[in-house]
Amino acid sequence: ILNNTVSIGSYAFTGTLISNITLPSTMYTLGVEAFYNCNHLTKIECYSDKLRTDDYLLSLGSIVEFK
């Protein structure tokens, strides 16, 4: 994700093979189920203290680490 990104749309990464992602401090919103069916996603690093997301993000079973 680019450092100046402020939003990721709903279903943006649905079904992709990403294994980790870093969200920059500029992030404000993460769309509904942006990581739906990302079975290989095990780590999300978030540097934003302003991020808004849906409850689904925290229910991703494959996430091992969320910073």
Side-chain angles (χ1 to χ4, degrees):
I1 304 296
L2 298 174
N3 283 335
N4 59 352
T5 302
V6 296
S7 180
I8 294 177
S10 297
Y11 310 102
F13 292 96
T14 296
T16 63
L17 298 175
I18 61 171
S19 61
N20 61 70
I21 193 164
T22 301
L23 306 175
S25 61
T26 54
M27 285 289 295
Y28 281 98
T29 58
L30 189 58
V32 174
E33 296 185 356
F35 303 112
Y36 178 74
N37 203 24
C38 288
N39 299 325
H40 299 281
L41 182 61
T42 59
K43 181 179 179 181
I44 298 174
E45 287 187 81
C46 180
Y47 292 97
S48 175
D49 58 358
K50 306 176 260 329
L51 184 64
R52 292 183 186 188
T53 186
D54 67 3
D55 292 335
Y56 180 76
L57 176 65
L58 299 177
S59 70
L60 292 171
S62 60
I63 299 297
V64 173
E65 186 175 355
F66 183 87
K67 291 185 179 181

